[in-house]
Amino acid sequence: MCIQDAEQVGQEIENMDISNNSSSNSSSSNGSGVRASWPLHCDLLHTQKENCDKESSFISSTDQLTTGNSFPLERICEDQKMSTTFIPALRSGEWSDIGERPHMEDTSVCISDLAKKYGYELLNEKSVSFYGVFDGHGGKGAAHFVREHLPRVIVEDADFPLELEKVVTRSFIETDAAFLKSCSIESALSSGTTALTAMIFGRSLLVANAGDCRAVLSRRGAAVELSKDHRPCCTKERMRVESLGGYVDDGYLNGQLGVTRALGDWHLEGMKEMEGRGGPLSAEPELKLVTLTNEDEFLIIGSDGIWDVFSSQNAVDFSRRRLQEHNDLKLCCKEIVEEAMKRGATDNLTVVMVSFHLEPPPRVIVRRAKVQRSISAEGLQNLKCLLEG
């Protein structure tokens, strides 16, 4: 693994020729809405790897790189030989169920070509895929608003797709502000939503999370968590909340919310501020950038109702068995949701899966810890939050 300096990356981007006889401003567009070609992040990552130490492909530790916002981007360089020869073959599926709740407030999205979806064409470059799960609370207004507007805001950003990390962070915040304006016009929309998105461009996977949805990567059968649940029980989140004038009461942010990051919730007093440092409830996502290799099998994105009854490894094990039987991603998502309900899940349930191979996962033996444990998935997650801070 290696850590890349953000300024160095930015300088190299500026020095690269975007296309023949084109200006260096890759975000410019012509009258037809066609943007100049751009270098994929993954290709740039690989040019930076010459000085990286060769390590195992399994993620054992992660260093951090700040991207100019208040939360660091985790950037992971994998073994060059494994990553440069791998070309992901993307497939996706999704499934949702209301569960035992009176209203359905979850929603999701799968877009195979983000730019094309909104009328842009990236010349001579591969598509950018976009996947997301949005878990609403206090109504479905915020979740549906973010699902419909966030992808468009990302594409219409002047720096898309050259600086996706900055674009995604900026777009979460801009979409949150746009929802405030929408609520001022139609107060019935007042609500909130957590949001977790995954964007795949070439061999690079960028995960952005604000809330307690979770993204888990299956790497040769081992679960690799690509997001952290933003809950008041986590020490780092509690410290951030308290530094912004908020507090945690009985495990809830300001005694009202079970998450510390979300879009919306502008109607809740003391949660957010337009000016200054902002309120204790943040819409700014945490990011993680991963270079995919041949060992990466699929990605699971689920709302918190899934993780109340599945541990990350358990979800990977369950999914691998089902995919080995039928290799149908949508059916696998349906089976995960149905299994969650059998296990007593009471929340809305939503799952999105993205596979990086056309064939089903191979049969492998994953080494397990010999220590026996008897604790619920939810209890294990809460304990993990306290230990990790």
Side-chain angles (χ1 to χ4, degrees):
M1 282 168 229
C2 68
I3 299 302
Q4 300 177 340
D5 184 79
E7 294 182 357
Q8 180 183 357
V9 172
Q11 185 62 44
E12 294 202 12
I13 291 175
E14 293 177 2
N15 293 335
M16 295 178 71
D17 290 328
I18 303 305
S19 61
N20 292 333
N21 300 321
S22 66
S23 66
S24 61
N25 183 3
S26 65
S27 62
S28 63
S29 60
N30 57 28
S32 63
V34 178
R35 298 180 184 236
S37 63
W38 55 285
L40 283 175
H41 284 64
C42 56
D43 293 329
L44 178 60
L45 288 175
H46 296 314
T47 64
Q48 296 290 313
K49 288 177 183 172
E50 296 179 356
N51 296 324
C52 293
D53 293 330
K54 292 185 177 180
E55 298 185 18
S56 66
S57 60
F58 189 84
I59 301 176
S60 58
S61 64
T62 304
D63 294 311
Q64 296 181 331
L65 172 69
T66 58
T67 60
N69 59 6
S70 57
F71 304 108
L73 164 73
E74 295 187 14
R75 190 187 298 270
I76 304 169
C77 290
E78 302 299 342
D79 182 87
Q80 187 172 5
K81 290 183 179 180
M82 294 182 63
S83 60
T84 56
T85 59
F86 176 60
I87 301 176
L90 299 181
R91 299 180 295 138
S92 66
E94 58 186 322
W95 196 266
S96 295
D97 195 280
I98 193 172
E100 296 187 8
R101 292 294 179 90
H103 305 289
M104 183 60 178
E105 297 174 328
D106 281 7
T107 189
S108 60
V109 65
C110 295
I111 302 174
S112 59
D113 191 331
L114 185 61
K116 185 177 181 181
K117 168 79 173 178
Y118 294 100
Y120 292 93
E121 182 180 351
L122 303 179
L123 300 178
N124 303 319
E125 297 295 349
K126 297 179 181 178
S127 62
V128 179
S129 302
F130 182 91
Y131 309 92
V133 170
F134 311 98
D135 184 355
H137 49 263
K140 64 180 183 180
H144 284 260
F145 183 93
V146 175
R147 180 195 66 188
E148 295 301 321
H149 289 79
L150 179 60
R152 181 184 297 277
V153 172
I154 289 174
V155 171
E156 293 180 350
D157 190 288
D159 291 323
F160 176 83
L162 185 59
E163 299 183 47
L164 277 184
E165 298 94 338
K166 294 180 181 179
V167 168
V168 170
T169 297
R170 205 156 46 216
S171 297
F172 267 64
I173 297 171
E174 290 178 5
T175 302
D176 190 36
F179 182 65
L180 171 61
K181 294 180 180 179
S182 179
C183 290
S184 65
I185 299 174
E186 189 176 352
S187 59
L189 292 175
S190 296
S191 56
T193 184
T194 62
L196 192 151
T197 66
M199 299 178 70
I200 301 173
F201 40 104
R203 292 179 294 273
S204 293
L205 166 63
L206 178 65
V207 173
N209 180 48
D212 58 359
C213 294
R214 192 185 307 170
V216 178
L217 177 70
S218 173
R219 174 161 290 174
R220 197 169 173 79
V224 181
E225 294 182 354
L226 299 185
S227 65
K228 297 178 181 178
D229 300 350
H230 296 136
R231 295 182 176 179
C233 65
C234 297
T235 303
K236 290 181 180 178
E237 285 297 292
R238 186 176 69 249
M239 291 175 62
R240 182 187 62 78
V241 163
E242 292 174 348
S243 70
L244 294 170
Y247 61 93
V248 176
D249 181 15
D250 195 26
Y252 289 85
L253 174 62
N254 285 13
Q256 300 178 77
L257 285 179
V259 293
T260 56
R261 302 193 196 185
L263 286 75
D265 293 312
W266 290 98
H267 61 294
L268 299 180
E269 185 177 355
M271 289 292 187
K272 291 186 174 180
E273 299 175 3
M274 285 297 294
E275 305 296 334
R277 298 180 300 167
L281 181 64
S282 175
E284 188 169 1
E286 281 192 305
L287 308 179
K288 179 169 288 188
L289 180 63
V290 177
T291 304
L292 298 170
T293 74
N294 188 58
E295 291 192 342
D296 296 319
E297 299 167 340
F298 55 83
L299 179 71
I300 305 173
I301 307 173
S303 58
D304 69 314
I306 297 295
W307 309 113
D308 286 343
V309 294
F310 276 96
S311 68
S312 297
Q313 185 62 59
N314 184 212
V316 166
D317 293 341
F318 182 91
S319 300
R320 293 184 91 256
R321 289 194 298 269
R322 295 302 184 270
L323 290 176
Q324 287 166 355
E325 292 175 3
H326 51 65
N327 200 26
D328 186 324
L329 289 175
K330 184 174 182 178
L331 178 57
C332 184
C333 289
K334 181 175 182 289
E335 291 171 336
I336 292 174
V337 169
E338 291 175 343
E339 179 65 20
M341 290 190 287
K342 290 178 182 178
R343 297 184 183 189
T346 59
D347 203 350
N348 295 156
L349 301 162
T350 298
V351 177
V352 168
M353 288 188 67
V354 185
S355 174
F356 310 119
H357 302 268
L358 296 179
E359 62 277 5
R363 299 187 181 278
V364 297
I365 299 177
V366 180
R367 293 182 180 180
R368 309 293 185 197
K370 295 183 179 180
V371 178
Q372 297 290 328
R373 66 167 184 261
S374 56
I375 184 172
S376 68
E378 183 178 12
L380 183 62
Q381 178 59 31
N382 289 336
L383 179 60
K384 185 176 180 180
C385 281
L386 293 172
L387 293 175
E388 290 184 348

